[in-house]
Amino acid sequence: MRHDTENTPRTAAVGAGDDRGQWLTLPGCKRVLVVVHTEVYGRRLGDLLPLLTADLRLQLYFTIAPHAFNAGAARAVPGPLPDGSVLPWEQALRMRFDLVLAAGSQGVHGLRGPLLRLPHGAGHMKLSRLADGRDPGAARTVGGLGRQYLVRDGRVVPRALALAHQDDLARLRRCCPEALPVAEVVGDATYDRIVTSLPLRPRYRAALGVRRGQKLVVVSSTWGTGSAFNRLDALLPRLLTELPAAEYRIAVLVHPNVWSWHGIWQVRSWLAAAERRGIAVVPPDTDWRSLIIAADWVLGDHGSVTLYSTLTQAAVLLARFPADDVDPASPGAELAALAPALTPSDALPEQLAYARTTRPATGYDRIARRISSEPGHAARNTRRLMYRLLGLGEPAREPSLPVVPLPAALWDTTGLNRVPA
């Protein structure tokens, strides 16, 4: 394989006029680029990295792509920064790759190599933003599946488009039919990791600091004006005053895009009073999946976290649900018609008890089946697709994804105080 100035990353050890190939220890590797637009996108791609490890035929690189929410993207890049495998965006545009992995669309048309686009959330719930580029008068499309995300200059950009469910093919047919030939249903790695990790629920609760007999309430917010975050100033004081501190643990999961845009200091400042009184504000780099597996209740909105909570033992209540921003044919819309909504007039303990006793297990199972039509097979299907694009045979071992890691403690297990951030 040719290793010239264009195709070899620059590091501090390589001089401008040197023969780049002399520095290689494993020549001839296929180059894989992992494009991290945001922290959320990067962590979705991170689920797939175990499928590419221990293969001496591959060299992985990472780059942080332009995006409005890429301020926290570096947290989703594995390993310490700076690192020779992390390429500046402009350098990534000059190189050639044998496979490009991305969960977002911004700028990827300029990269050279077969692109595999992957989902960055569950259920393709959210409609495209009103400000997104659309033809005048055109209807809003399902986020990520519209023509503006997949086509550039009349050409379908991805070489392959991975989908989680067969139903997504029908959505794609409505939104961007020219991308149907490159679409492939592979399942959902996040779905599979949650389901595999469900038996570890007691360990997650203990690691978080939830003591025996206590109940865990997780408040989850996506980003944007329709999110639950816009109502936290009313909800959190109620949780503090109506739920006895000795009986309940309360944790707030804020979408990384909120942290990215407003800044870590600002978000913590807005939530400081609640933190001082014992509510745990979950750091943005925490794996949220351990929280919803551990939860007794999830108070959510139209974000993916709320939808994935149907896979767990938690009872879901909706603190906010902007129906106009959600695809009415999505599993999220079905959840909104099934899950109870928080009301300002009724006592919270009574609402939580109602949600627990009326938890529609059969309905949740039906919604869960709409998240992935390949349950348990995302690792197998996605690895097969990636190696096909690479033109390589798969490693001679069963592909698998790890369980969700144990979280750091949010509360002191010897008392009622929150662990300092």
Side-chain angles (χ1 to χ4, degrees), residues 165-410:
H165 201 283
Q166 289 290 336
D167 291 349
D168 294 329
L169 292 172
R171 295 188 180 95
L172 186 63
R173 185 174 291 108
R174 294 194 305 269
C175 298
C176 187
E178 55 265 58
L180 276 172
V182 303
E184 187 163 332
V185 176
V186 300
D188 185 321
T190 291
Y191 177 109
D192 289 353
R193 291 190 70 190
I194 290 173
V195 171
T196 301
S197 304
L198 289 176
L200 300 179
R201 183 174 189 264
R203 295 182 61 187
Y204 296 139
R205 290 171 65 87
L208 289 166
V210 179
R211 296 187 299 173
R212 181 171 297 181
Q214 288 182 321
K215 302 298 184 182
L216 174 60
V217 177
V218 173
V219 180
S220 173
S221 174
T222 188
W223 66 279
T225 56
S227 70
F229 196 86
N230 279 274
R231 302 283 174 84
L232 291 187
D233 58 340
L235 177 58
L236 296 187
R238 289 192 64 195
L239 291 170
L240 285 165
T241 56
E242 297 185 41
L243 301 182
E247 298 177 30
Y248 292 88
R249 299 292 203 194
I250 304 167
V252 178
L253 275 171
V254 179
H255 195 287
N257 286 0
V258 181
W259 296 93
S260 172
W261 186 259
H262 293 284
I264 289 178
W265 182 90
Q266 185 61 73
V267 174
R268 287 209 173 276
S269 174
W270 284 330
L271 301 176
E275 278 198 291
R276 285 194 297 269
R277 296 180 62 185
I279 288 181
V281 177
V282 182
D285 57 351
T286 300
D287 193 323
W288 53 268
R289 291 170 288 204
S290 62
L291 270 293
I292 65 168
I293 293 172
D296 296 288
W297 294 274
V298 172
L299 280 51
D301 51 22
H302 62 310
S304 293
V305 173
T306 313
L307 190 59
Y308 281 124
S309 297
T310 60
L311 304 175
T312 74
Q313 295 183 29
V316 175
L317 295 91
L318 293 179
R320 189 87 187 274
F321 195 85
D324 290 344
D325 293 329
V326 176
D327 177 10
S330 69
E334 183 178 354
L335 177 60
L338 190 66
L342 284 173
T343 66
S345 56
D346 298 300
L348 277 178
E350 295 175 4
Q351 294 188 63
L352 295 180
Y354 175 84
R356 172 53 58 191
T357 57
T358 62
R359 181 182 181 276
T362 301
Y364 281 6
D365 290 344
R366 183 177 64 251
I367 291 170
R369 288 194 296 272
R370 296 187 61 191
I371 299 174
S372 172
S373 58
E374 291 286 328
H377 299 310
R380 180 198 68 189
N381 295 339
T382 307
R383 190 181 76 170
R384 181 183 299 157
L385 175 56
M386 289 191 293
Y387 275 84
R388 189 174 77 229
L389 292 171
L390 284 165
L392 294 175
E394 297 180 57
R397 60 176 180 272
E398 285 296 322
S400 63
L401 299 172
V403 296
V404 174
L406 290 178
L410 294 179

Side-chain angles (χ1 to χ4, degrees), residues 23-70:
W23 304 105
L24 293 170
T25 299
L26 285 179
C29 289
K30 296 271 191 176
R31 294 190 181 94
V32 179
L33 179 66
V34 181
V35 182
V36 179
H37 285 88
T38 71
E39 185 167 3
V40 171
Y41 294 7
R43 297 201 183 282
R44 293 288 294 205
L45 297 175
D47 278 346
L48 305 179
L49 297 185
L51 305 177
L52 300 173
T53 58
D55 191 336
L56 298 182
R57 300 171 297 172
L58 304 180
Q59 166 71 58
L60 267 65
Y61 300 100
F62 301 85
T63 190
I64 296 177
H67 194 282
F69 295 124
N70 74 0

